[in-house]
Amino acid sequence: MTLSFRIRCATYLTGVCLLSCGCHTKPSPVQNLAAGQVRPIAQINDSDDGEWHRATKDFANRRYSQLDQINSNNVSRLRVAFTFSTGVAHGQEAAPIVANKTMYLATPWPNILYALDLTKPGAPIKWKYEPHPSPSSKGEACCDSVTRGAVFDNGKIIFSTLDGYTIALDAESGKELWKTRLADFTKGETITMAPMVVHDHVYIGNSGGEFGVRGWLASLDAKDGKLLWKAYSTGPDSEVRIGPRFKPFYANDKGSDLGVKTWPPDAWKTGGGTVWGFLSYDPTLNLIYYGTANPGPWNYVQRPGDNKWTAGMFARDADTGEAVWFYQMSPHDLYDWDGVNEDVLVDLPLNGTTRKVLLRPDRNGYLYTIDRASGQVLSANPYAFINTTSGVDLKTGALQHIPDKAPRVGQVVRNICPVAPGAKDWQPSSFSPQTGLLYIPHQNMCMDEELMAANYIPGTPYIGASVQYYSGPGGHMGELTAWDPIAGKPAWVIKDKYPIWSGTVSTAGGLVFFGTMDGWFKAADAKTGTILWQFKTDSGVIGQPITYRGPDGKQYIAVLSGIGGWPGSIVAAKLDTRDGTAGNGWGKALPNIRNEVTAGGTLYVFSLP
């Protein structure tokens, strides 16, 4: 057991400090761990124009706004400025996009794209675009029919549909400019990720790892939608776009055609490694970074080997798509630990030198600090409760498994932590240069798991595991952890009874905004974690909050409310929780949530009076 692992485990045995807040309900408990520090960290930031063009705000994936009109002194006065019903009562995971006095909203299937006029009272609809995706595609979505949003670039608004199309619209008029089919949902492929655009490359990947698809990231020409390149996550080097520039840091990632040789014969063709998380981009190195999802099936006994290049992350040339390095967080993944979580690019003072690193709160429970030029892991510390692995060997990069916690065929293995959705799933973190802290929304959960044989049939689930989730140590299921990346320790933790499935946004006003599955949208003091304001929305909050400067010069905070997604499918799909495996494991964890939260789909926008 590593020292950091012991420290993290010990935090669950210490007392809990309850802080007061100016609200009408019981405040979320805050655990002040007095280990991580608040310290400003200078960053080279893009200038903040007050708009929000992409889900991640900037290319560095920090989700930090320099707006400070709303701050810790006046946030208690926040009021609803306007609302908007999307008309779709499924998981609202998208980030609102703001550009040129217009807000753009992408809904879950049927993937309507709304443009709202921010210059007029109540922000009425300016135009809407209905792509009419195939209803059959809903049956191929593993975890609700969600989308994680759109992107604005050079007068276009670009988004994807669940049935596999990426579409560009004229942002002013809503006129369709191009429409490109990328995924075949009849094979289990769908698209849920938010695109990102660099140098006229529109990057988009596929979902469907639970259906035996083969993962990829594609680049489309932003001008006309033509395919420029596609990089697969499994298979021969030529199709993974591995060539002379590929220089992985660790020996285990070196060799030819590992995307074939580390699989049983032909298993790589149905091996997953889909790409549905958020990308980041370093313009100095001209590299894009993204993670690859779990290998398929979940039953790892059927796929001996490291299963390259799944459950890891690529650095690729932003223009050519050539792989430059790769690191595999969870080789031969045992637990469905997709590697799709976000990479947050920061420059950190470490051991007397400023290092260009990326911070990755991975699904396996470790916060990786990785040199983003070379792929070297500089540190890997647990940010959540873990009993399945004992650490990461920094010399080899290897994850150290605890054999007793490996799932088995025909036998239920109990108390496996973290769960299949990981210590953290897709819900994105934010980083504040003002405090030097990374704000990580995540789970505190464990599971029981049993493996069984999985048979591949195109377009049908290819899993081979039965799971049931429940709360971890302390009895709560969600945490918002403020992480000090220099000390490698948390500064404070807010606990919640349900998994915190929303993203976070941090601001120069000294605030962090996040939502909860039972419908609260909250603002916490970025330095202390004290809840300073909260508002009860009509449904659960699992979306990505943003902030922007309106045409009137005022700062606004916006978030979509509408429970759904993987855990929230219990509500959105009206699943029967008498079956503990409902929602692929969530029935046991959320037996009463349908009595507390109803489905919805509403935009909330807040401002000061």
Side-chain angles (χ1 to χ4, degrees):
M1 180 180 290
T2 63
L3 174 61
S4 57
F5 182 66
R6 289 197 297 269
I7 291 172
R8 186 57 178 149
C9 290
T11 64
Y12 290 86
L13 304 177
T14 57
V16 174
C17 176
L18 295 176
L19 302 181
S20 62
C21 71
C23 46
H24 302 293
T25 65
K26 183 179 178 180
S28 301
V30 177
Q31 192 169 20
N32 187 345
L33 303 175
Q37 299 180 34
V38 173
R39 47 189 152 194
I41 299 177
Q43 301 292 314
I44 300 175
N45 284 309
D46 299 331
S47 59
D48 193 336
D49 57 9
E51 298 192 336
W52 200 281
H53 289 184
R54 60 189 68 80
T56 59
K57 171 62 173 174
D58 58 16
F59 286 127
N61 218 339
R62 296 182 193 135
R63 297 175 186 264
Y64 173 77
S65 169
Q66 298 173 27
L67 301 182
D68 61 1
Q69 196 177 93
I70 299 169
N71 54 55
S72 55
N73 294 321
N74 59 27
V75 68
S76 62
R77 297 166 53 207
L78 271 190
R79 300 290 184 271
V80 174
F82 64 89
T83 63
F84 176 78
S85 172
T86 67
V88 182
H90 275 271
Q92 309 284 334
E93 293 188 349
I97 300 298
V98 175
N100 295 335
K101 304 176 183 178
T102 304
M103 177 180 287
Y104 303 93
L105 299 176
T107 77
W109 189 97
N111 302 119
I112 301 169
L113 200 297
Y114 289 102
L116 307 182
D117 188 344
L118 296 178
T119 67
K120 297 179 179 177
I125 294 175
K126 189 174 179 178
W127 53 258
K128 69 176 180 179
Y129 174 86
E130 298 180 86
H132 302 291
S134 170
S136 299
S137 62
K138 291 190 291 182
E140 302 300 319
C142 80
C143 314
D144 200 8
S145 51
V146 301
T147 179
R148 299 184 182 87
V151 63
F152 174 86
D153 182 76
N154 195 26
K156 301 183 184 72
I157 190 80
I158 304 170
F159 72 111
S160 295
T161 59
L162 190 68
D163 63 348
Y165 290 86
T166 298
I167 302 168
L169 308 175
D170 181 280
E172 184 60 28
S173 67
K175 177 185 176 183
E176 182 181 300
L177 300 176
W178 51 259
K179 181 176 183 179
T180 301
R181 186 186 184 194
L182 282 171
D184 182 356
F185 74 85
T186 65
K187 297 179 179 178
E189 281 187 314
T190 52
I191 297 181
T192 59
M193 73 175 283
M196 189 173 80
V197 182
V198 173
H199 301 165
D200 277 344
H201 289 268
V202 181
Y203 306 112
I204 198 78
N206 63 344
S207 299
E210 278 60 55
F211 290 81
V213 308
R214 184 184 176 202
W216 44 259
L217 178 74
S219 168
L220 301 179
D221 190 327
K223 295 188 291 295
D224 53 21
K226 292 183 178 177
L227 180 68
L228 297 175
W229 49 259
K230 180 180 276 190
Y232 286 92
S233 304
T234 66
D237 286 355
S238 59
E239 297 181 11
V240 184
R241 299 186 76 79
I242 286 177
R245 290 186 63 189
F246 187 57
K247 307 291 183 187
F249 189 84
Y250 296 101
N252 209 33
D253 297 320
K254 297 176 181 177
S256 62
D257 292 324
L258 297 184
V260 174
K261 295 175 181 176
T262 59
W263 294 85
D266 291 337
W268 57 271
K269 296 178 180 177
T270 55
T274 51
V275 181
W276 51 272
F278 300 101
L279 277 71
S280 50
Y281 169 62
D282 183 327
T284 303
L285 298 171
N286 197 36
L287 296 179
I288 56 171
Y289 305 91
Y290 68 93
T292 58
N294 60 288
W298 288 17
N299 182 352
Y300 62 89
V301 178
Q302 294 183 217
R303 46 176 173 76
D306 274 356
N307 310 138
K308 305 288 185 192
W309 307 91
T310 63
M313 61 162 298
F314 275 109
R316 293 187 183 274
D317 184 285
D319 296 308
T320 66
E322 296 170 281
V324 175
W325 58 261
F326 176 88
Y327 171 66
Q328 193 169 30
M329 288 76 68
S330 301
H332 187 53
D333 169 46
L334 307 185
Y335 303 102
D336 182 39
W337 287 344
D338 300 49
V340 299
N341 290 4
E342 68 279 6
D343 300 303
V344 182
L345 311 189
V346 299
D347 295 342
L348 282 187
L350 297 172
N351 301 318
T353 303
T354 298
R355 301 287 297 264
K356 291 181 177 296
V357 304
L358 61 85
L359 305 176
R360 159 174 280 269
D362 196 73
R363 208 150 159 172
N364 65 19
Y366 292 92
L367 192 300
Y368 290 81
T369 301
I370 298 177
D371 184 309
R372 64 178 185 263
S374 68
Q376 179 187 9
V377 178
L378 304 178
S379 65
N381 298 302
Y383 65 91
F385 181 76
I386 298 171
N387 68 6
T388 44
T389 60
S390 59
V392 176
D393 185 331
L394 297 186
K395 291 184 179 179
T396 64
L399 187 63
Q400 306 297 301
H401 284 280
I402 296 174
D404 287 348
K405 291 299 181 183
R408 298 180 181 85
V409 175
Q411 177 184 351
V412 177
V413 177
R414 303 191 185 281
N415 195 32
I416 294 172
C417 320
V419 288
K424 191 182 85 65
D425 202 277
W426 75 278
Q427 62 269 45
S429 311
S430 61
F431 175 81
S432 168
Q434 192 179 66
T435 62
L437 299 176
L438 182 71
Y439 301 97
I440 311 168
H442 63 98
Q443 290 88 250
N444 170 53
M445 302 185 70
C446 302
M447 68 178 176
D448 300 337
E449 181 169 7
E450 178 182 5
L451 301 182
M452 65 282 296
N455 296 309
Y456 175 71
I457 301 172
T460 65
Y462 183 52
I463 296 176
S466 177
V467 289
Q468 296 191 43
Y469 314 134
Y470 43 87
S471 58
H476 59 286
M477 288 184 269
E479 295 183 345
L480 172 60
T481 295
W483 184 264
D484 176 355
I486 295 178
K489 299 173 182 176
W492 50 259
V493 176
I494 296 173
K495 298 178 180 179
D496 198 80
K497 67 177 181 178
Y498 290 131
I500 297 180
W501 208 259
S502 85
T504 66
V505 62
S506 53
T507 75
L511 299 168
V512 180
F513 291 88
F514 67 101
T516 64
M517 286 186 63
D518 57 354
W520 289 97
F521 185 52
K522 303 185 181 188
D525 186 301
K527 294 181 179 178
T528 67
T530 303
I531 298 298
L532 301 175
W533 170 86
Q534 62 181 3
F535 179 88
K536 185 68 167 64
T537 70
D538 287 342
S539 184
V541 180
I542 61 166
Q544 305 168 56
I546 71 157
T547 183
Y548 67 94
R549 183 189 297 114
D552 57 359
K554 293 178 63 174
Q555 182 183 359
Y556 293 85
I557 310 291
V559 70
L560 282 162
S561 170
I563 195 168
W566 191 354
S569 63
I570 294 289
V571 178
K574 300 178 181 178
L575 302 180
D576 186 347
T577 57
R578 288 176 296 180
D579 175 5
T581 66
N584 202 3
W586 287 101
K588 183 173 183 177
L590 307 172
N592 298 314
I593 195 167
R594 286 181 58 191
N595 297 324
E596 299 179 51
V597 189
T598 56
T602 303
L603 167 75
Y604 288 84
V605 179
F606 304 91
S607 68
L608 295 172

